[in-house]
Amino acid sequence: MSAHQSKLYRDEAIILRTQKLGEADRIITLLTKEHGRIRGVAKGVRRTMSKFGARLEPGSHVDIQMHSGKTFDTITQVEAIMNYGEALTDDYQRWTIAHAILETAERFTQQEEEPAPQEFQLVVGGMKALAEKRFDSSLILDAFLLRSLSIGGYEPSMTSCSRCEKAGPHRYFSLVGGGSVCMDCRPSASATASIEALELMQALLKGDWETAEKSEHRHRREASGLVTAYLQWHLERGLRSLPMVERA
């Protein structure tokens, strides 16, 4: 049985992905504000061009009513708050970045029904920033990935050595070693990192967009490479959607 007290409950959610189920139904994976990640069944949505189905597309921010069930909860009502997916479909780069954000959110919420309010706010904020073209979309993605790592307890060190805490900036970056490492502590398989790329990563993590926006193109590319490698290392298997992302 699902852990919910009552049979019927409401929540705010963002749709992470959908899968076909039988002839007419879909399984909808949602990240909710109060109940964490949930998989719900939307019955009959593939038979008709229903408004119900249209509101359950990846990237949609919705107000949802669910009915607890033994295996899956059933989605009984959906009100649209904002369909970010729709706002992004005409732009391939931003659309692939949105998918990378949604996939990352699913990977960082491994336990179903375990509240993840910070990750929820992060996803909504990331999708909103993308849809409004607030910042460079690659920067939005890297900020999202770094903050997801931080919420998950894997924040990479950027300003001091992750091993001996000697103040940096240091020229080496280690996936195994937790980020920045000094000369003395660096493991053999360390990447060299420019000070500018590390400063950019720190700015993205802290939400210092002014600094981030001033960064040079080559440092953005370098930071993206470090963030992606660090994320893939911690997730143990890569994200399907990341290689699709077109980095400017």
Side-chain angles (χ1 to χ4, degrees):
M1 266 304 280
S2 171
H4 309 301
Q5 307 300 299
S6 71
K7 281 281 190 190
L8 213 58
Y9 65 99
R10 288 190 83 85
D11 208 338
E12 206 182 302
I14 198 138
I15 313 294
L16 301 181
R17 70 186 166 106
T18 72
Q19 294 151 275
K20 291 174 181 172
L21 177 69
E23 288 296 302
D25 307 340
R26 279 190 191 280
I27 296 173
I28 313 288
T29 303
L30 334 131
L31 182 57
T32 67
K33 193 176 186 175
E34 311 277 329
H35 301 87
R37 185 168 62 82
I38 287 172
R39 286 183 301 164
V41 174
K43 294 195 185 298
V45 289
R46 284 169 49 221
R47 281 215 178 93
T48 54
M49 286 302 288
S50 65
K51 273 189 187 154
F52 188 61
R55 288 175 188 152
L56 295 170
E57 287 302 311
S60 288
H61 184 190
V62 294
D63 187 302
I64 204 157
Q65 185 174 286
M66 314 267 282
H67 192 277
S68 311
K70 281 203 175 85
T71 317
F72 293 113
D73 295 352
T74 306
I75 298 166
T76 53
Q77 236 184 333
V78 190
E79 295 300 325
I81 296 174
M82 179 67 199
N83 186 344
Y84 292 113
E86 206 169 74
L88 298 165
T89 42
D90 59 347
D91 182 328
Y92 183 77
Q93 190 205 18
R94 287 188 304 141
W95 173 242
T96 54
I97 285 176
H99 274 274
I101 285 176
L102 298 174
E103 191 187 343
T104 302
E106 184 172 353
R107 293 288 289 282
F108 271 106
T109 50
Q110 287 297 327
Q111 290 305 110
E112 289 206 350
E113 297 191 19
E114 191 178 280
Q118 286 177 290
E119 190 67 25
F120 174 79
Q121 295 300 353
L122 199 58
V123 176
V124 173
M127 297 299 275
K128 198 172 157 65
L130 266 183
E132 292 172 2
K133 301 186 180 178
R134 213 176 292 171
F135 309 109
D136 174 84
S137 31
S138 258
L139 291 179
I140 292 170
L141 176 60
D142 289 330
F144 174 83
L145 298 176
L146 282 164
R147 290 178 203 180
S148 286
L149 281 160
S150 179
I151 291 168
Y154 305 116
E155 185 177 311
S157 171
M158 263 94 71
T159 54
S160 58
C161 175
S162 62
R163 298 201 157 175
C164 70
E165 296 185 6
K166 182 179 170 186
H170 301 294
R171 291 304 311 260
Y172 299 101
F173 191 85
S174 164
L175 305 184
V176 189
S180 271
V181 276
C182 71
M183 251 330 257
D184 302 330
C185 296
R186 73 187 174 106
S188 54
S190 300
T192 49
S194 71
I195 287 159
E196 293 87 350
L198 292 172
E199 280 172 352
L200 170 57
M201 286 161 69
Q202 186 66 13
L204 291 172
L205 183 63
K206 300 293 175 232
D208 174 3
W209 288 100
E210 204 180 323
T211 301
E213 295 263 77
K214 284 180 192 156
S215 61
E216 283 181 41
H217 189 73
R218 62 198 171 109
H219 299 134
R220 291 184 187 189
R221 283 192 78 90
E222 186 190 349
S224 289
L226 291 171
V227 172
T228 303
Y230 190 80
L231 176 83
Q232 311 261 42
W233 193 81
H234 277 286
L235 289 178
E236 286 168 3
R237 58 191 170 86
L239 292 164
R240 285 188 310 277
S241 46
L242 262 187
M244 316 290 279
V245 172
E246 288 181 346
R247 297 291 196 168

